[in-house]
Amino acid sequence: MEITGIFTAIIIGLIIGALGRLVVPGKQSIPLWLTLLIGVVAALLGTFLAALVGVDETPGVDWIELALQIALAAGGVALVAGARRRP
């Protein structure tokens, strides 16, 4: 992964975090900054997993990579929201 790929993953991660929060049903009681942080981590992990599987370089939009990132973000948001809900 090149440095431009890392920066792109961070920028896209901010959007991915918001999308991941939208995918999870119900109200999540986590702050916005934590949602964005989850999105950045999910974007980096999704990019790494896409490269591992071999779908990181496709012609046009990398839909599989994007789906991986959103799924990871949704899972992260659900996990953190569930953990913060418990006393």
Side-chain angles (χ1 to χ4, degrees), residues 15-80:
I15 299 166
I16 295 292
L19 289 173
R21 189 171 183 152
L22 287 173
V23 170
V24 176
K27 182 179 183 324
Q28 297 83 35
S29 59
I30 61 175
L32 180 62
W33 67 267
L34 189 53
T35 301
L36 298 177
L37 180 65
I38 291 168
V40 170
V41 171
L44 291 171
L45 283 174
T47 300
F48 176 73
L49 287 175
L52 201 63
V53 176
V55 294
D56 59 332
E57 297 293 330
T58 58
V61 179
D62 295 329
W63 293 111
I64 297 172
E65 183 176 357
L66 189 60
L68 278 171
Q69 292 169 337
I70 293 172
L72 288 169
V77 167
L79 186 70
V80 171

